[in-house]
Structures are given as C-alpha cells and as structure tokens.
Amino acid sequence: MQKIFLVAGARPNFVKIAPLWHELSRHQNVDVKIVHTGQHFDEAMSRFFFDDLELPVPHYNLNINGGSHAVQTGKIMEHFDKVLEQEMPHDVIVTGDVNSTMACALVAVKRGIRTSHVEAGLRSFDRSMPEEINRIVTDSVSDLLFVSEPSGLTNLEHEGIDGEKIHFSGNVMIDSLISINNRIHHSRILETIGVQEHKFGLVTLHRPSNVDSTSRLKELISWLKETANKIPVVFPVHPRTGKRLEQIFSENTAIQNIHPNLKMITPLRYIDFQKLLKSAQFVITDSGGVQEETTWRGVPCITLRNNTERPITLETGTNYLAGNDLRLAGSIINDCIAGRTKQGRIPELWDGKAASRIAEIIVR
C-alpha cells in the first residue's frame, strides 16, 4: 500500500489538492491522507472550501496560525515532523508557494521521503516576496516537479534542475474549476449582493505591497470609490486586508459604508466566489491564482503588482499588469466597460486533466 500525504495550508492549496485527492483516491493500493497545517484558519477560508471541493475532514490538522514568517514556518516544521515520524508515508505532495509548502517539503526531504511540488518553476524574480523564497527553496529540494505553464520549464532549466525531475502536467486549479462548473450555476450570490451579470467589477487584495502601507491602502480605497462611481464594485475583503482597514477607519465608520456602490463583503466560499468571477465585467487583483482563473474564464484581469510569476496569463490570457499605476489601471477599466479588451485563449494543458497526469507519475 502506497501511503501519500497531501499538504494544504492556505486557500489556494485547498483548490490545488482537491483534484489530486479525488484522482489518487481512485487508485487501488493507494492510501492518501490530507494534512492541514492551519495557516488559513478562519471558517470561510477553510471548512467551507473543503465542503465546496468535496474534500474529507483533514486526517491531521496542525492548527498552526498567526505569528511571523519565521515563527509560523518553524512551528509547521516541528509539528509536521511529528506526524511524519508517526506515519512515515512514501510520498509527500506540496502545492503552491505559501509557508506551509516550503516548511513541509523541507521536513519530508530531510526524512528521506519522496517529495513532489505541484505548481513548480513559477518565478516573479522579486525576492522581496516571501512566496518567491518559498518557491525557490521548495523546487531546489523536491524530488518531482510538476509544472503548470511553459515559463516554469524554462526557469527550472536555468536553475540547473535535473530534467528527469520535471514534468509539464498542466494546471490543477483548472481541474477544480471544471469539476464545480455545474454547481456554480446554482449559486445565488449575485442576487444576495444585488448585482447584475457582467455589470460589475470584482476586487481581491491581500499582498503586503498593497495592504500593509497605510498610504497605499488609503490610495487604493479612494481609487476604488472613483471606480464605483462608474460601475458597482464587489470587494470580498481578505482577513489580512480587513484588519488593516479596521485600523485605518474609525469605529464610527463601518467599512461596508465607505461608498454605496462599493460592496465590501466578508470572504466567500469557493463556489460563490467563482460565480462572481465568472460573472464580472473585469477583475482587479494581486492574487496569482485569480490571474489564472480569469484567463481560463476569459474575464479581463487588472493585476496591481509590478510583476507576475504567471506570465502565460499576460502572453496568452486576459491579464493586464498595471503595477502601482492606478491611472493605467483606471484606463484599462474604462476599456473593459466600453468592451475594448484583448481576446485571450486557454493555455496548453489547462484542460482539467492535470491531476490525472500527476497521479499517474506518482503512483507509477
């Protein structure tokens, strides 16, 4: 019996492990277990996602949350090592680029357990981003590297990674999108919020470069209010962003009342968020995963970052890189409202079969 651990810590990880769980569970002589590190620990970002993705209750929950990067990484390593000592699986699969990804990969490799990194090779070339360090370290120690887009192949080759470790598998996030596509139609989130299909913009912001600076966050809120004068804007507020907004605005001013057309709401479950993304006229984000989801959906995406580790979304998809230039972002939004947007196409192997390709290699 081949024992395989799937590691998840944050919301994007849940979306990535779901198709792997379902695919690996179909194989005979495979015992697959989920380890949740607890990095995202609120209900909307954890339990509801497991429900929407039809995942079982995690077999292990390390309950590690909060703290600095160093504290969080150290605690995850310590607790995960105890689980491995008890179970000693044959394989550990980590996904993405969060602290849980790097921490669990390091522990597994040091115990001599074969370790796979799903979504390997992505690079922003900005080492001020903690995620970039996590990507580089995880790729350098892992035994199998599963790549979602061609840039990952090029980056790993340039870093001198043994080509026999590298597999172009496609994008498991798209597997999850396809699997819940029919259920998205039943979501009533548009009616609940009070917006019409293709007549609103969607916003997600959580990167430190956008939300940790008081002046930058105030500038963004002011700009979103200007955008909301043109078209309704829906803003599911990430917990990290919510805490910063609460610090900026007085207790007498409810965040939800900043602007009548700027609908600031609590984080959404996966299916409801995907309904909004599919139905939006455009999306404003600093999230890597959202850049991919909008490209697959053909929805214009304005990314408020100076770089992206997913260049395929710019070259082939519907993503625009606006950096910190809100005037440029506003101009792109005006084009979207007027119907002047580039026509993207779905990248190679974003076909809903990435998990089956990965599972076949790991089990074989």
Side-chain angles (χ1 to χ4, degrees):
M1 181 69 73
Q2 184 178 359
K3 188 184 293 185
I4 300 175
F5 274 15
L6 284 169
V7 175
R11 176 165 53 175
N13 298 154
F14 308 152
V15 180
K16 292 162 192 170
I17 69 164
L20 293 167
W21 159 262
H22 293 297
E23 190 63 38
L24 288 166
S25 297
R26 296 190 185 102
H27 285 260
Q28 293 182 347
N29 300 320
V30 170
D31 176 20
V32 56
K33 295 185 177 180
I34 295 175
V35 179
H36 182 6
T37 67
Q39 188 173 330
H40 274 176
F41 51 90
D42 64 284
E43 190 171 55
M45 284 196 169
S46 186
R47 184 175 67 81
F48 287 156
F49 265 65
F50 275 74
D51 291 344
D52 285 352
L53 294 163
E54 298 180 329
L55 287 169
V57 174
H59 299 83
Y60 292 94
N61 193 327
L62 307 185
N63 293 309
I64 307 300
N65 52 70
S68 67
H69 285 283
V71 168
Q72 190 178 77
T73 301
K75 285 184 177 180
I76 291 170
M77 292 180 72
E78 179 183 359
H79 285 71
F80 187 56
D81 189 54
K82 292 177 181 177
V83 173
L84 292 187
E85 185 176 25
Q86 175 183 334
E87 289 269 8
M88 281 306 292
H90 301 92
D91 291 88
V92 168
I93 302 174
V94 298
T95 67
D97 55 17
V98 298
N99 290 337
S100 301
T101 306
M102 180 186 71
C104 293
L106 285 171
V107 173
V109 168
K110 288 191 174 186
R111 280 198 170 269
I113 298 169
R114 188 173 69 170
T115 304
S116 299
H117 184 204
V118 174
E119 203 180 71
L122 299 182
R123 298 290 184 268
S124 67
F125 303 101
D126 179 2
R127 294 203 177 194
S128 69
M129 296 176 63
E131 295 88 350
E132 184 76 351
I133 305 303
N134 292 341
R135 295 180 199 116
I136 293 169
V137 172
T138 304
D139 285 341
S140 68
V141 301
S142 295
D143 300 293
L144 293 173
L145 301 170
F146 295 100
V147 178
S148 59
E149 65 164 86
S151 72
L153 300 173
T154 303
N155 295 333
L156 293 173
E157 181 184 357
H158 287 170
E159 291 171 16
I161 303 292
D162 183 354
E164 291 187 0
K165 295 182 176 183
I166 303 168
H167 302 272
F168 183 28
S169 60
N171 194 330
V172 290
M173 285 191 73
I174 305 307
D175 291 21
S176 285
L177 275 187
I178 292 172
S179 71
I180 55 98
N181 219 13
N182 290 333
R183 286 186 287 151
I184 289 176
H185 294 297
H186 299 291
S187 169
R188 311 301 297 174
I189 192 64
L190 299 185
E191 293 83 352
T192 300
I193 296 175
V195 291
Q196 296 180 0
E197 194 168 16
H198 306 311
K199 293 185 178 180
F200 68 95
L202 177 64
V203 180
T204 78
L205 296 171
H206 73 282
R207 298 279 179 185
S209 58
N210 280 322
V211 305
D212 279 8
S213 165
T214 297
S215 60
R216 173 62 175 174
L217 189 52
K218 283 184 174 179
E219 180 186 26
L220 282 168
I221 294 299
S222 177
W223 176 72
L224 288 174
K225 287 163 65 176
E226 292 177 10
T227 305
N229 287 330
K230 308 172 189 175
I231 188 172
V233 175
V234 180
F235 187 0
V237 180
H238 188 286
R240 174 188 181 89
T241 310
K243 290 179 182 178
R244 296 290 299 125
L245 289 171
E246 289 172 1
Q247 295 169 359
I248 292 174
F249 294 96
S250 67
E251 295 180 0
N252 297 327
T253 304
I255 294 174
Q256 292 82 356
N257 297 329
I258 289 175
H259 188 286
N261 232 17
L262 178 57
K263 302 175 185 294
M264 304 181 80
I265 59 176
T266 56
L268 296 169
R269 42 194 315 160
Y270 181 60
I271 287 176
D272 287 338
F273 179 78
Q274 290 302 325
K275 175 71 171 184
L276 282 178
L277 185 146
K278 176 184 179 181
S279 305
Q281 192 168 49
F282 58 86
V283 177
I284 302 164
T285 193
D286 56 14
S287 161
V290 171
Q291 295 172 50
E292 294 179 329
E293 291 163 346
T294 49
T295 277
W296 190 78
R297 291 281 184 199
V299 176
C301 180
I302 300 99
T303 298
L304 300 181
R305 285 172 49 187
N306 290 320
N307 50 61
T308 178
E309 63 284 347
R310 293 162 166 86
I312 196 71
T313 63
L314 300 173
E315 299 159 4
T316 296
T318 54
N319 189 19
Y320 299 85
L321 201 62
N324 296 320
D325 189 344
L326 296 183
R327 287 188 179 181
L328 172 59
S331 176
I332 298 169
I333 288 171
N334 289 338
D335 286 342
C336 292
I337 293 173
R340 299 187 299 268
T341 57
K342 62 180 177 179
Q343 297 299 310
R345 66 181 189 274
I346 296 176
E348 183 182 3
L349 297 188
W350 290 22
D351 57 2
K353 299 176 182 178
S356 65
R357 287 187 280 266
I358 293 169
E360 181 184 356
I361 291 169
I362 288 176
V363 173
R364 187 180 64 202

